[in-house]
Amino acid sequence: MSDQPHAVFETVGHGIARIRINRPDRLGAYTPRMCAEILEGIRRLRLDDSLRVLILTGTGRGFCTGGDVSPDAGFADDLTKQIGRAGTARRLPRHRRGAAQARQGSAVRSTESPSTGV
């Protein structure tokens, strides 16, 4: 697995933060490490009152093609933790700050209902 971060948090302008999915070689395929890095970025956003907007984007030609099923992706160790982490990420749109997505290329959309989680 690469030493490069799977998701990068950065400020890109006055009051604007960006989380950039950084796995162009895997078309942004999701990993437990990526989830932890995205949640850390969200935590940083929430702690900084000067940040008003979060942009979620990807690097390369794909945004997120779904879960990385390769043996080195890290799911064997963290699978049980992912369910709770997903709930944290789902609450982001209800946060008091704006959120935007900038997608390019392939992306997989969840079919779960936000109200029921099913």
Side-chain angles (χ1 to χ4, degrees):
M1 198 179 299
S2 169
D3 289 337
Q4 293 290 320
H6 291 193
V8 177
F9 177 87
E10 51 202 0
T11 55
V12 294
H14 181 69
I16 302 170
R18 175 172 58 199
I19 296 176
R20 182 173 37 86
I21 294 174
N22 189 38
R23 297 193 73 216
D25 56 321
R26 301 277 179 109
L27 297 177
Y30 174 88
T31 65
R33 177 176 168 188
M34 178 189 295
C35 181
E37 292 169 355
I38 289 171
L39 292 177
E40 173 59 19
I42 292 169
R43 185 190 71 78
R44 289 177 61 185
L45 173 78
R46 289 180 171 169
L47 292 175
D48 189 340
D49 288 335
S50 71
L51 296 174
R52 308 303 299 162
V53 174
L54 173 65
I55 299 169
L56 179 60
T57 191
T59 302
R61 63 186 183 92
F63 176 75
C64 183
T65 56
D68 187 338
V69 296
S70 65
D72 64 342
F75 283 105
D77 299 330
D78 292 331
L79 187 56
T80 57
K81 297 177 188 176
Q82 295 307 306
I83 295 168
R85 287 179 172 169
T88 301
R90 274 191 218 113
R91 288 192 295 274
L92 181 61
R94 293 189 293 258
H95 196 268
R96 64 185 168 87
R97 297 184 181 129
Q101 294 181 27
R103 293 187 295 211
Q104 69 283 350
S106 301
V108 174
R109 182 173 179 264
S110 172
T111 58
E112 290 185 11
S113 164
S115 60
T116 63
V118 184

